[in-house]
Every structure is written in structure tokens, then in C-alpha cells.
Amino acid sequence: MRRVVVELKQLSADIISTTVSLFKVMIPMIILIKIVEELGGVTLLGDWLAPFMDTLGLPSSVALVWATTMLTNLYAGLLVLINTDVSLTVAQVTVLSSLLLISHSLPIEGVISKKAGVPMWVILLLRVGGGVLFAWLQHVYYTSTASNQHIAPILWKNEPPVYASYGDWAIGQVESLLTIFLVISVLIVVIRLLKLLRIEHLMAFVLQPLLKLLQVSKEATNLAIIGITLGLSYGGGLIINETKKGNLTAKDALITVMLLNLLHSIVEDTVLVLLLGADLNMVLWARIVFAICVMAIISQVYTFVVSRAKQVDK
């Protein structure tokens, strides 16, 4: 009985610690982003990005979609897209979707990543640069093969809530934060059960090829899986907590967080862009391959730099 009480106390402490760490980052950023949005910052950024769209084979009008997505979230960006009077081919929708899947929610997720040990400039370079590179590679592919050039049907109807007042907006944000708290609570309980049942060892074995390629320790496996499937906010919050507790090395945290910046919410986000008519092979399988290849290179470079630094110190 005493052991059960101790476990429950530890679970409660982990849940509170993780939630507080995450909310300290999210709440100020949510307010800041709302202020920037109200002052027209999103529209201004869209104007700056418009000339760049031609490089990706996209009309300049979708620059506002990318700007909205980078500063807010994928839902908001897609809402702007479906309200834009522009017809896109399947290839164009796929290129745009790939760009948005990697470079979205940069302020919030960037600060979360920073708290987990990755500098903000690295995250911005990785996500904006990675998103542009991934989208450009697809544009080159579609241009050279002349495939998927028919108009894409837009089926997405799952619109985000439209708030009538700032009070309604505040209530909506509180509801979202409560949902995150509940999800984090469940995740921490599941992780604890996985440890007790030693299922984490089986998961690590299944992912062994990936772990070897990225040089990620077994301790980071479950956190990576959570982030990849559910989102960076959840995975990042858990990584912050585990790093503070000393369960993850600096390298583990760095590589895992950077991987999650390129590859997260693969279920929900992929479904959203598929409803726009995007090509599944590109927005899911090609994205996974792209993220793994990029992180494999970064992991090798990181190991080489650290090794050279140690040699110099000696």
C-alpha cells in the first residue's frame, strides 16, 4: 500500500512539473502571438514572403497561408487557404503542405525546443530551411515528371473556432490548456506503466535501426514516439522534464528535439493536408525519409564536432 502511495505521489509530482514547465513557455507565447496577429504582423510577413513563392512553383497569394501557419498553427493557415480564391494542382497542394508541415507554430514550438536545450536560431534554421528544402525538392520532382498536375479537390471542413470576443478567445485558450494538461497526465501514466512492464525495451528493439542511425539512446525512444505521433508540445514538455531530472543527456535531448521539429503529429497533421488533396506518399513517407536523413547527417556532424573538441581539450 505504501508503495502505491509513493508511486501516486511521484506521478503527481511529474505531471505538475511537466505541465508547469510547458505552460511557462506556452502561455506568454500564446498572448504574444495574439498581439502580433491583431497588429497585422501576420499580413505583413505574408507580403514579404510573396515573391519567394515562385521558387516553389506556388502563386504569391499563398504566402499569407505560410506566414499565418508559421506564426500561429497549421489549422489557422489552412483556414486562410480554403478562404483564398485560388485553385491549386495536387502537386502544388503537396508542395505547400510539405512546407507547412515542417515550418508551423514556430514561436511556441521554438521556445519549447529552446527550453529543451536547442537554441532558437537552430530551430528556425532547421524548420524554415528544412521546410523550404523539402518543398523545393518536391517541386523539382513534380516539374520534371509532370505528375499530379490536375486540380486538387479541397475536402477539409474542420475549421478552428472563431471567437466573437477576446473573452471568448481567452476561454478557448484555457480549454486548450486544460486539454493539454489531461493529455500530459495520461502520457506520464502510460510512460510509467511502460517502464513497469518493461515494454519500452521491446519498443527500443523495434526501433533499433533508427536509433543506431540517429545515435539516440533508449531513454529517448518513448519520448520520440510520443512527439512523432502526438506533437512537439507534448513530446517537448516531457523532454524538458526528463532532461531536468538527468534522464537524458544533452545530445539525446538535442537530437530528439530536432527530430521532432521535422517530424511530429504525423497522424493529425497528415490527415489535415490529405483533406486538401495532397499526395500521401510525399506528405507522410517522403517526410519520414527526409527527416531521418537530415537528422542522421546532423547526428554524425554533432558526434564529430564533440569528438574533435575533446581531442583539442586533451
Side-chain angles (χ1 to χ4, degrees), residues 74-75 78-79 81-82 88-90 93-94 97 101 151-160 266-280 283:
L74 189 59
Y75 277 93
L78 296 185
L79 179 60
L81 176 62
I82 64 176
L88 300 177
T89 64
V90 172
V93 167
T94 303
S97 297
L101 284 171
I151 298 298
I154 296 181
L155 304 176
W156 184 57
K157 302 296 181 182
N158 186 23
E159 299 182 4
I266 61 171
V267 178
E268 179 183 1
D269 289 357
T270 301
V271 170
L272 285 177
V273 297
L274 286 179
L275 293 177
L276 297 177
D279 182 355
L280 174 63
V283 297

Side-chain angles (χ1 to χ4, degrees), residues 205-274:
F205 175 77
V206 172
L207 294 176
Q208 195 64 34
L210 177 61
L211 296 177
K212 285 184 177 180
L213 186 61
L214 302 183
Q215 299 181 351
V216 176
S217 69
K218 293 181 179 180
E219 288 76 11
T221 303
N222 288 344
L223 302 182
I225 293 173
I226 289 171
I228 289 172
T229 55
L230 295 181
L232 181 61
S233 295
Y234 302 121
L238 296 173
I239 290 172
I240 293 172
N241 190 51
E242 292 298 308
T243 302
K244 287 182 177 180
K245 293 163 62 176
N247 295 332
L248 291 178
T249 65
K251 179 185 176 182
D252 285 339
L254 179 80
I255 298 300
T256 304
V257 170
M258 292 181 72
L259 172 63
L260 296 186
N261 271 276
L262 291 176
L263 187 64
H264 60 270
S265 299
I266 61 171
V267 178
E268 179 183 1
D269 289 357
T270 301
V271 170
L272 285 177
V273 297
L274 286 179

Side-chain angles (χ1 to χ4, degrees), residues 43-81:
T43 303
L44 179 61
L45 180 58
D47 293 338
W48 290 345
L49 295 174
F52 182 73
M53 293 295 96
D54 184 61
T55 306
L56 302 178
L58 299 172
S60 60
S61 58
V62 301
L64 182 60
V65 177
W66 187 25
T68 302
T69 304
M70 283 196 292
L71 292 182
T72 56
N73 53 60
L74 189 59
Y75 277 93
L78 296 185
L79 179 60
V80 172
L81 176 62

